[in-house]
Amino acid sequence: MAMTHDYLDFLDERIDISPTNSEEELQAAEVISDLMGQHNVEASIEEFEAPSLSGLDRAVLAIACLLGIVLVGTGVFPLTLIGFLLAIAPAALSVLRLFGRAPRLAFGPSAQSQNVVAVHRATGPLVTKGSRTIVVAAHYDSPRENFLYTSPVAPYLTLASRLSVPCSFAVAVCALIQLLGFLPAPFRIVVWIVGILASLPAMLPAVGAIAERTAPCTEGTNDNKAAVAALLGILENVRPSGAKPKARPIPVPAKPEGDETDEADVAGETDVAQRVDDAPAPAPSPVEAEPVVGVRHGAEVLRSLGILPETCEIDYVTPPAPAKPEPAAATSVPADETAPIEASAEGTDEVAEAETTREDLLSTGRFRLDMDEESRGVGEKDASGLSAIDEGFDPDATQPAAPLERPDAPSDPEWGKTSYRPQLSSVARRASLFDLPDPSANEVDPFATDPNATRVQPSAPASPDVVVPADQPLDTISAQDEPEEQDAPSDKKSKNPVRSLLGRLRGKAAQADESDEGADERSGRRRGWRGGAAARGGLRLVGEDDQADEEAPTDEELRDAVLALGDDELIAHDIWFVALGGSALDHAGMRSFLARHRSEIRGCFVVNLDCVGAGRLVTLKNEGLEETRRADRRLTRLLSGAAADLHVELGQETHDWADTDATPAMRSSLRAVTVMGLDDNGLPALSRTPEDTMENVSGDQAAQVAAVVTEMIRRS
């Protein structure tokens, strides 16, 4: 899972903040799309629109409820009537949601956002028509700071959100009592105060939500980048690329002529700005004119064009061939002197002079040496030997040759002989004795007729402690009389309670070693050791224990090795990798994805990753303040089993006080679950706080989530 760490570092380096409906969010989507494209999957960016004030409907209703309960106790009938309508509005919408009739309150100008979608199509021999489709989702838009998450009331935010719905019904009842004028005034005043207090729990998250829209953005390292890194880590397991993440090169625009603006002063255009002032501009190389190849027509065709007057005479003249340059004449150079060479080029006025040595001039073949007033050429070969052959010489005749002189024998008497004699080792001397029968064995002649002779079982040697009577046939010996083999204890498996992937691997290896050792011991006990190599169970390297402790693979290395196995069960599913945008706009990214691909993902599993780089990893059992939906039990069970086998702590918590990106999928009757990291207050870890930085996020935890989800996909 080292790639998950690389993805997290890369995203933290390349993406600063990416708020919804901004240019930075679009650039972040392009970076994620490029990373997905490196895994040989077609990644696409799907744009959508959503109201910019989505997600503020509950805050607006909470403020309206408080304003209504205040107006209803003024005693002025028009204000009382308006206050009553405002006070009962949240309760009325809650009743409609129970029956599935509540409208969505989306208002405000349209905001632009986009999703990044990549699909892995099922491959391998295990692909069937009914294979499960799996959607792995994580949002990448950065949230804004919420001052309540770092305030002393942070431990009570979840409770306040849960109490907002029942308190809205209490406010509606208190507002209705104010319309009953026959009740005593003191009683109505007390009820009015109770209604105002009942509206305060809903006001606490409402104030935080409204203030959040105007607050600065956080870096979102845990809130979005850790989940996206885990998503890309799962994609690496399914479609491995083997390469570290890299950015797409950004083209640098050409600098217009006359613009002397320093490139280093322009921020954000390029990652590195470099200027070289001392380097001279390269001279333009002359462009050779290419010959024009065409068709030559006659004079009639030229006159038919009507371009030339009739009095014009047309003559075709063949152009003269260009003259070839004459080779330079040989130049005489003294033997002990060096001559300067003048080099000139056409079209230039510069002349370069260089001193050349004698050897350089002679190597060209265009010069000769004058030594002692004699001219000796160095370029041509001497052919005098070919012309000075005798006329009577017959090349085919046998020519006399001088006798060969053989060298005398050396004076050393041992010359040509060797005194080396191979020395036979003691092992080789005893090799012939290995085939001899063992004199200590009590063997019996098969042709003997003595019934009292001792007989030895030839096929399965018995233990030395077992004695076979002479008067009992071999075929009458029962299995009870045979010695029991020294097997491994029967409770070996019971001592290994962890039925995990790592446990099975280590357990099988340990059982194999024990069985081999036991077999060697049994074979050594039965046959006896008569020399030669020792039993395999007795072999041991010097310092083996120390080396085993140093070279023993860690749990993470074993987990990576197991998950890197290219089994067919992992790739036999249609897997959608979705990076959601617009999550701050009431999870508009997930709503847009479901609306566009509803027919393709029917009956799928949806795994939502959120804030997985820090906090306590849990799966949410239920989600949503109103219209609460339960997470899929089978999907939760698969995740819990995979986490237990990989030794990853994964708990379960309720989340019935807010929605997540998986909540719209649950309300669309899809099997979904959310894996989230929670802090001690039950809030998403580091979310919407200034502490959401790289220093507080664990890449190992994000890698563990990627491993758990990968194993869940394999088992589904």
Side-chain angles (χ1 to χ4, degrees):
M1 287 301 152
M3 286 295 294
T4 305
H5 299 78
D6 296 336
Y7 283 126
L8 182 58
D9 297 337
F10 181 80
L11 292 175
D12 185 70
E13 178 183 357
R14 293 288 300 176
I15 302 176
D16 187 10
I17 59 172
S18 54
T20 304
N21 192 26
S22 65
E23 186 68 21
E24 291 80 6
E25 185 188 25
L26 178 60
Q27 295 176 0
E30 293 176 352
V31 171
I32 297 173
S33 177
D34 293 339
L35 293 177
M36 290 182 175
Q38 296 176 9
H39 297 272
N40 296 327
V41 292
E42 184 177 355
S44 59
I45 298 178
E46 301 175 355
E47 297 183 355
F48 61 89
E49 294 183 357
S52 59
L53 299 181
S54 297
L56 293 179
D57 51 349
R58 299 186 185 278
V60 173
L61 290 176
I63 296 175
C65 183
L66 177 60
L67 181 60
I69 193 62
V70 171
L71 293 178
V72 78
T74 57
V76 181
F77 182 76
L79 296 178
T80 301
L81 183 59
I82 295 174
F84 175 75
L85 296 177
L86 294 177
I88 66 172
L93 291 176
S94 298
V95 173
L96 293 177
R97 289 191 184 97
L98 293 177
F99 295 96
R101 301 293 183 180
R104 289 189 66 250
L105 301 179
F107 51 91
S110 298
Q112 297 287 336
S113 187
Q114 54 280 320
N115 295 331
V116 185
V117 181
V119 185
H120 160 73
R121 298 300 178 183
T123 57
L126 299 181
V127 177
T128 58
K129 185 177 180 181
S131 61
R132 179 72 61 181
T133 302
I134 300 174
V135 177
V136 183
H139 73 93
Y140 66 91
D141 57 316
S142 301
R144 298 180 181 272
E145 294 183 8
N146 193 324
F147 72 96
L148 294 178
Y149 281 60
T150 56
S151 64
V153 299
Y156 310 103
L157 285 178
T158 58
L159 179 61
S161 299
R162 291 187 179 97
L163 293 177
S164 60
V165 175
C167 286
S168 63
F169 290 100
V171 172
V173 173
C174 294
L176 179 61
I177 293 176
Q178 297 302 317
L179 297 179
L180 304 178
F182 58 88
L183 294 177
F187 176 75
R188 285 184 293 153
I189 293 176
V190 173
V191 173
W192 179 54
I193 296 175
V194 171
I196 294 176
L197 296 177
S199 62
L200 293 180
M203 282 296 300
L204 186 62
V207 172
I210 295 175
E212 182 181 337
R213 293 302 178 98
T214 59
C217 291
T218 65
E219 293 185 11
T221 305
N222 184 53
D223 190 273
N224 56 349
K225 296 175 185 176
V228 175
L231 182 143
L232 295 174
I234 301 169
L235 179 57
E236 172 68 22
N237 296 334
V238 178
R239 302 288 292 267
S241 64
K244 290 186 177 182
K246 57 183 178 180
R248 180 179 58 181
I250 301 175
V252 180
K255 185 178 180 180
E257 297 181 358
D259 188 5
E260 300 180 355
T261 305
D262 191 356
E263 295 180 359
D265 296 337
V266 182
E269 293 184 358
T270 56
D271 294 338
V272 178
Q274 181 179 4
R275 300 184 61 189
V276 181
D277 298 334
D278 300 333
S285 59
V287 181
E288 299 180 358
E290 298 180 357
V292 180
V293 180
V295 181
R296 181 174 179 176
H297 299 282
E300 297 180 357
V301 177
L302 186 57
R303 290 191 181 279
S304 64
L305 298 176
I307 300 176
L308 301 177
E310 297 179 358
T311 57
C312 181
E313 296 181 1
I314 303 174
D315 293 335
Y316 288 96
V317 180
T318 303
K324 297 182 179 180
E326 294 295 336
T331 306
S332 177
V333 181
D336 299 334
E337 298 180 0
T338 58
I341 300 177
E342 297 182 357
S344 62
E346 296 181 2
T348 62
D349 296 336
E350 298 179 357
V351 177
E353 295 183 358
E355 293 185 358
T356 309
T357 61
R358 179 179 61 184
E359 288 76 7
D360 296 337
L361 297 176
L362 294 179
S363 62
T364 60
R366 297 170 57 188
F367 304 90
R368 66 167 179 255
L369 298 177
D370 293 338
M371 302 178 63
D372 299 335
E373 298 181 357
E374 294 182 1
S375 176
R376 299 181 182 181
V378 296
E380 300 178 357
K381 296 182 179 179
D382 185 11
S384 61
L386 299 178
S387 60
I389 300 177
D390 188 7
E391 296 181 356
F393 177 76
D394 187 5
D396 297 333
T398 303
Q399 303 295 332
L404 298 176
E405 296 182 1
R406 301 181 180 275
D408 297 337
S411 58
D412 186 7
E414 296 296 329
W415 182 81
K417 301 179 181 180
T418 178
S419 59
Y420 173 77
R421 295 293 183 271
Q423 299 294 332
L424 297 178
S425 62
S426 59
V427 177
R429 294 179 182 274
R430 296 198 308 267
S432 59
L433 301 178
F434 291 162
D435 296 335
L436 297 178
D438 187 4
S440 61
N442 189 10
E443 298 182 357
V444 181
D445 186 4
F447 297 98
T449 58
D450 186 5
N452 298 325
T454 304
R455 300 179 182 180
V456 180
Q457 185 177 358
S459 59
S463 174
D465 299 335
V466 180
V467 179
V468 182
D471 56 349
Q472 183 178 359
L474 294 176
D475 55 354
T476 60
I477 299 176
S478 61
Q480 297 179 357
D481 298 332
E482 296 180 359
E484 297 181 359
E485 296 182 358
Q486 185 179 358
D487 296 332
S490 60
D491 59 345
K492 283 290 182 181
K493 295 184 179 179
S494 62
K495 293 183 180 180
N496 186 15
V498 181
R499 300 294 183 179
S500 63
L501 203 57
L502 303 179
R504 288 196 296 269
L505 290 177
R506 293 179 175 176
K508 291 180 180 179
Q511 292 177 5
D513 295 340
E514 292 176 0
S515 61
D516 294 341
E517 183 178 358
D520 293 336
E521 292 178 357
R522 291 192 301 271
S523 61
R525 185 182 65 251
R526 292 175 181 177
R527 296 191 301 268
W529 184 56
R530 301 171 184 174
R536 186 172 63 178
L539 294 178
R540 179 180 179 274
L541 297 177
V542 177
E544 182 179 2
D545 297 338
D546 299 336
Q547 295 180 359
D549 296 339
E550 297 177 358
E551 301 178 358
T554 61
D555 292 344
E556 184 177 359
E557 293 176 350
L558 291 175
R559 187 187 302 114
D560 294 344
V562 172
L563 295 178
L565 298 177
D567 56 351
D568 298 327
E569 297 177 353
L570 181 61
I571 61 177
H573 306 274
D574 288 343
I575 307 176
W576 294 64
F577 300 92
V578 186
L580 301 172
S583 180
L585 301 179
D586 196 16
H587 314 288
M590 178 59 79
R591 298 180 189 274
S592 175
F593 173 76
L594 296 177
R596 183 170 300 187
H597 304 281
R598 184 176 299 275
S599 59
E600 300 176 77
I601 60 175
R602 183 176 302 166
C604 69
F605 282 163
V606 179
V607 181
N608 177 41
L609 307 179
D610 195 358
C611 301
V612 296
R616 180 170 43 91
L617 288 178
V618 298
T619 56
L620 305 183
K621 295 189 295 185
N622 47 22
E623 300 179 11
L625 179 59
E626 294 180 296
E627 299 180 89
T628 304
R629 294 292 184 268
R630 175 179 292 180
D632 184 67
R633 294 182 178 179
R634 179 185 176 187
L635 194 54
T636 303
R637 185 170 60 254
L638 288 174
L639 287 173
S640 300
D645 292 344
L646 296 177
H647 304 285
V648 178
E649 295 183 2
L650 185 65
Q652 295 185 7
E653 293 290 340
T654 59
H655 198 76
D656 56 352
W657 59 274
D659 297 347
T660 66
D661 287 323
T663 308
M666 296 178 182
R667 292 170 180 166
S668 299
S669 301
L670 294 180
R671 298 182 175 183
V673 70
T674 297
V675 180
M676 180 179 291
L678 299 180
D679 59 8
D680 297 336
N681 299 325
L683 302 173
L686 303 179
S687 179
R688 297 172 174 84
T689 61
E691 289 78 15
D692 193 1
T693 58
M694 189 63 186
E695 293 76 12
N696 300 324
V697 176
S698 173
D700 296 338
Q701 184 165 314
Q704 290 177 355
V705 173
V708 170
V709 177
T710 301
E711 185 64 22
M712 183 275 299
I713 295 175
R714 180 182 288 109
R715 298 181 180 185
S716 60

